Each structure stands twice: as C-alpha cells, then as structure tokens.
Amino acid sequence: MNHPREASIFSNDQEKAQWHDETIWLVRSKRDQAARSVPEWEWLRERASQIKAHTLSRLDDYLRQFEKNAIANGVHVHWATDADDHNRIVHKILQDRGVKRLVKSKSMLTEECHLNPYLIARGIEVIDTDLGERIIQLAGEAPSHIVMPAIHMRKEEVGELFHSHLGSDAGATDPAYLTGVARQHLRRKFLTADAALTGVNFAVAETGGVVVCTNEGNADLGAHLAPVHIASMGIEKLIPRAEDLGVFLRLLARSATGQDLTVYTSHFHGPRAGAEAHIVLVDNGRSVRLGQKDFRDSLKCIRCGACMNTCPVYRRSGGHSYGWTVPGPLGSVLAPHVDIDSFSSLPFASTLCGSCSDVCPVKIDLHGQLYAWRQKIASHNHSSGKSYAVRVVAFVLARPAIYRMAGWIGRWMLRHARPVVHRSLLKNWGRSRDLPAAPQQSFRSWYLKNRETP
Ligand code: SF4
C-alpha cells in the first residue's frame, strides 16, 4: 500500500476533501469544549495512563483474575492467539448452535480479524447493527474511522444507498427519515437473530464483567434478544477494578465525540436466564507489542478516535487511504507491526506535529512512536527513495564547489524552466504550493560584495 498515492486519489475530489476536513475538525472542536468543561481533565488523563501502565505491567495476572471471575459468573471464556483462531472459535460456537443469523454491534477487533467475510463464506448471515457500520456494509466498504465508520459518506450518498438496498424514497436525504428506515430494517433483523456479537470497551478483572459503550443501544438490543451473546475483546481492554471505570468513561466519550457520556454504557456480568454468554480474549500480536519498549504504550489505547480527528493528514487524506482497519496516527503505529513491508509508508503519513499525543486521553506518545517506526524503517532500507535523497544532499553539502554550482543551476531553473520544476520535478509537493521567486544572486555573492571589511 502506498499512502501518498491513495491520499492523492481522495484529495483529487477537492470539494469532498474540504468537507471531510471541516466535518472532522468540528468533532475535534467539540472534544476541546468537552475537555475544557472538566477542570481535572489533565489529572484524569494522567490517572488513566497510569492505570493502563500498571495493568500492562501485570497483564498475565489480571487476565487470569478476569477469566476466573467471568467463569464464576457463568460465562464461557475462550482464548484466541490470532485472527484465524478468533474466527474459528466464533464460527464453532455459532455452528454448534445452528446459528443462521448473527447481529453484530461495532467491534474494531472483528474488523481486524476479518470476521464478517469468514462467517459469510460459511453460510452465516452477518448484520452490522451500528448505523454507520450498516451503511458501509451495504456499500461494501471498510470503515474509514474507528468511531464514525461512515464519516466519509454524505447524506446524499446514504440516501441513494438506502433507496437501492432498503427501498427508501428516491432522492430522500433527510437524516431523521433515513435513520427511521434503517431502524425498521434493523429491528426485523434483531427480532429474528439467533446470536449477537458485541465488542468490548472495558473488561474489569475484579468482577469478570465487560462494558460496552454505544450511542444507539444496538449492543443491548442484540445481546438481550438473542439466546447467545459473544463478546470479542483484545487482551489489552482490561482494567483492574470497577472503580477505575469512572476515569475511563469520563474520558472516552468526551475525547471521541464531545459527549459527556455515551448514551448507553452497558455492563454485562453473565448470561441472562436461559441464555448463553461467551467471551473471546484475542492476542493477535498484542503480547509481542507488550514486549517492545518503543511500542508497548500503544496497548493503552481506548479507541476514542481523537488522534484521527486532530490529525491534519488524516483529515485531508481520508481513512481509506491508510489501507488498514485502523487509520490515522494510531493505525500508522499499529499497521507496520502486522506487515512492515506493506505499511512502510504509514509512519511517514504524519507531520510529527504532536497534536495526536496532545489529545490522547491515555497520553500515548503517538508521534514519538511514529518517529521510532521511521527510524526502524530507514534502518531496514524500507524507505530507499528518501535514503538516496539524503545521501545526495549530504554529498552536495560536503563539497562547497558542487554546492555553489547546484545553487546556480537551481536559480537558473527557477528563472527559465519554472513550469518543468513545478509540475514534473515537484509533482505532489507542487500541486498546492507555489515556488518562490528566484533571487538575483546567492547569499554568498551578496555577502562577498556587502560585507564590511575592518
Ligand atoms: S491512540 Fe489515544 S487518541 Fe488515538 S484512539 Fe487511542 S486513545 Fe484515542
């Protein structure tokens, strides 16, 4: 995957790119307002970061404690080493119970594991019930944001999609009307589902319970109607105590959308009478990251999406340009762990301005991690174009005569071959920038003429 190429495809539609930038910035502004309304905001961030650091330092103990308590609550606990393992476990649970229709609430982990195509290929109907997720499922696309998966689509596009798939009125674009159509459609699916799958925002070691945050109540509806509830979670979602939840819940919704709390904060502590509950704990590379000093802190992430909303590169290049489940600064840190060759361009999709680290509610040093990846990629020669360029510049700067000649050629080209330099040599850089006017002389010649001799 090549981020600059994919980003330029997105930004070619200038009107849409501008609208995307402004829409996401609005969410970032709401986050700022919400953060300012809490005087102890910085204390909360520090506390959350420390709780996560502590949990990660004893993750094995807390995982065992969580498993013991969940089993005592009547939950079946499964362990998955990787994405395939996760998919096999979920499929076996469904197959053994003759499940034909599964309703899912939003889960980035199942996107990471590509669960939907796995189950669909085995004859199980999978319905994403989060409105944004359902929109992109109908459109046959991947999420472009971890909190607002269909943020790249305008209401006109959603109207057309619903007209062709759900039979809504042609040309209808009213969000309230379209949401009503989706509600009717999804309600029928909820009522006839054989099983429900949810993600997990937090898992509490001392109680064995899991917490799921949604704005639509779709996780609750699915889990309370279907006879089987499966909760899939990455092993980093643990926190030690129920009282720690207050810290994270206050940070999560404010950082994500500027709300005080998500509309639904649902606590699941076991199956209801006559039903079954399963929790699948997934590693999929997380324990490797736990052992890497430079990248371990990325496991503190609570998936709020704030780093995406603030990132000037994400806002102007769109989530799909990252080519991986999680886009933006966080995705650029995570994706190279999966495949350093395929995703070597992502750590460079950043200005290193540090805004992502500034807004992160658990104080992950995201820009530091992006910089660490750049160093690794450069040392593995995964960025040969830039390495050659730096070597050429080092060669020129170390030789004054060649440096003066390069300056003369540069000024000559600026005067006589400006369009060639602008359009061909500086292609992407030059598309939205102007070149400076060529100076009459170099600084060196000016200095030699004007310096005062003692
Ligand atoms: S890295 Fe921080 S800001 Fe980005 S999604 Fe995770 S918690 Fe939110």
Side-chain angles (χ1 to χ4, degrees), residues 129-144:
T129 58
D130 171 272
L131 179 58
E133 286 273 330
R134 187 62 181 146
I135 291 170
I136 55 162
Q137 191 181 29
L138 291 174
E141 294 184 2
S144 68

Side-chain angles (χ1 to χ4, degrees), residues 146 301-308 330 356 359-362 364 366:
I146 61 172
C301 177
I302 57 171
R303 299 291 194 271
C304 70
C307 54
M308 286 146 225
L330 173 65
C356 46
V359 299
C360 178
V362 283
I364 300 172
L366 284 159

Side-chain angles (χ1 to χ4, degrees), residues 19 37 75 77 81 130 133 150 152 156 186 239 246 253 272 290 299 304-305 370 377 430:
W19 165 82
S37 72
V75 177
V77 178
T81 50
D130 171 272
E133 286 273 330
H152 60 287
E156 292 78 12
L186 286 171
I239 55 172
R272 63 178 200 280
L290 189 63
L299 292 166
C304 70
L370 290 171
I377 288 165

Side-chain angles (χ1 to χ4, degrees), residues 9 23 30 64 66 89 96 168 217 236 264-265:
I9 295 170
T23 307
K30 284 187 184 164
R64 277 194 286 265
F66 174 77
I89 290 167
D96 289 352
S168 61
E236 82 284 14
Y264 297 88
T265 301

